[in-house]
Amino acid sequence: MNFYSVRDLRNETKSLWDNLSAGGEVVITNNGKPAALMIDIPADCFDEVVQAVRQAKAMIAFNNLRSKASSRGIMSKKEIKAEIEAVRNGE
């Protein structure tokens, strides 16, 4: 997996695209922390890839909720709704 900073994305676009095509994955970092994952998507399975990514994000959010709930006890409905909204908003 290849890592590129936001600056690299701007200045080394050709190299990034070449690595994306060759390896299938590129991570974009912001201030040294992973911020985005670019993946090569075959033209004939775009919808399936998008659905798989959304399912993976939902599972991560669910597991985070489960972990927080188990460490703090049961969450109120208001806390659960706030957590869901935060995940949907990318927080």
Side-chain angles (χ1 to χ4, degrees), residues 16-76:
L16 183 143
W17 283 116
D18 290 344
N19 280 315
L20 182 61
S21 295
E25 299 171 340
V26 169
V27 176
I28 305 299
T29 62
N30 189 14
N31 294 322
K33 297 178 182 175
L37 173 65
M38 295 177 69
I39 57 174
D40 185 35
I41 302 174
D44 60 340
C45 62
F46 174 78
D47 291 333
E48 292 87 351
V49 171
V50 171
Q51 183 178 356
V53 169
R54 287 179 178 160
Q55 286 175 337
K57 287 176 65 175
M59 281 303 298
I60 291 168
F62 179 77
N63 289 335
N64 287 337
L65 279 173
R66 183 186 299 178
S67 179
K68 286 180 184 179
S70 112
S71 68
R72 294 189 303 179
I74 297 174
M75 295 173 70
S76 71

Side-chain angles (χ1 to χ4, degrees), residues 57 60-62 64-65 68 72 75 77-91:
K57 287 176 65 175
I60 291 168
F62 179 77
N64 287 337
L65 279 173
K68 286 180 184 179
R72 294 189 303 179
M75 295 173 70
K77 287 183 180 183
K78 185 177 179 179
E79 290 173 316
I80 292 170
K81 285 183 181 181
E83 188 69 25
I84 291 170
E85 280 301 312
V87 169
R88 287 181 178 159
N89 293 327
E91 297 173 14

